[in-house]
Amino acid sequence: RSLERWSTPLRNLRDRLERLESRLAASGRSGRFRAENLRPEFLPAVRTLMSDEHLLEGIEITLFGEKTGRRYDPKFSFGVFSDGKLVGAILARRAAHDIVLVDAEAVARPFRGAFDLVHLLLLRAILQPSCEFGAQRFVYTVDKNKHAETGRMARRSGSQLVREGVQLVRDLANDP
């Protein structure tokens, strides 16, 4: 896999969200969606969504306080629901005194599009607790082959490319 690690200053994200907020209000589309902090009962749906998008494959997703798996802080991890169904999720945790590390974000295919309302709601949800925590930036990794649009969006939003690399993955279960 060809990977890029990006760092986005929260001030850039806050400015972008403010510009999009007026479009969101004018569209009248946000009424049927709600963002909530992730709770343990949401994890099966989150695992399914992440698996469908080939994110965090083979990694057990848990919340802080549980003993196994990669743990996410429910204060920084959110789901967006439409008519009671999970349609988007973001999994994040504090990584340092001024960094929130976003390990994965997924939006169900039928809810993607040019306006990308679900993505906007996820970013809006995570921004407030991040600012309260004192974070100055989000750091996230992009698989260039699977999520090229995320890399283009990072460039447009003034994000900084921190690192590029290749991760070799071997399927041991199917290896002769």
Side-chain angles (χ1 to χ4, degrees), residues 8-154:
T8 300
L10 289 190
R11 70 179 178 281
N12 292 18
L13 182 59
R14 191 176 14 244
D15 292 346
R16 180 172 176 250
L17 286 175
E18 285 175 6
R19 288 191 305 272
L20 292 173
E21 289 290 333
S22 61
R23 288 176 56 195
L24 176 61
S27 76
R29 294 173 52 196
S30 64
R32 63 181 254 231
F33 296 93
R34 76 178 194 293
E36 288 187 39
N37 288 92
L38 290 180
R39 298 191 308 261
E41 61 265 30
F42 299 152
L43 291 182
V46 171
R47 290 180 187 116
T48 298
L49 178 63
M50 294 294 169
S51 175
D52 289 349
E53 298 305 314
H54 306 287
L55 295 169
L56 303 177
E57 292 173 323
I59 295 174
E60 178 65 16
I61 299 169
T62 62
L63 297 176
F64 281 156
E66 297 183 35
K67 295 187 188 266
T68 61
R70 185 177 289 178
R71 292 176 292 233
Y72 295 94
D73 189 334
K75 182 175 182 180
F76 298 98
S77 299
F78 292 86
V80 170
F81 297 83
S82 175
D83 300 323
K85 182 179 182 201
L86 181 75
V87 297
I90 190 166
L91 300 173
R93 53 196 158 99
R94 294 173 289 202
H97 70 282
D98 69 338
I99 297 172
V100 171
L101 181 63
V102 177
D103 280 310
E105 179 191 359
V107 175
R109 290 186 195 284
F111 295 89
R112 295 181 193 165
F115 192 70
D116 212 350
L117 176 64
V118 174
H119 174 71
L120 174 63
L121 292 172
L122 289 168
L123 292 178
R124 186 169 70 178
I126 196 174
L127 187 61
Q128 181 179 347
S130 298
C131 290
E132 289 171 0
F133 162 66
Q136 299 296 311
R137 55 197 164 120
F138 288 133
V139 174
Y140 50 96
T141 301
V142 175
D143 183 331
K144 293 191 314 187
N145 298 325
K146 293 181 183 176
H147 307 105
E149 179 55 33
T150 304
R152 286 191 291 274
M153 185 181 66

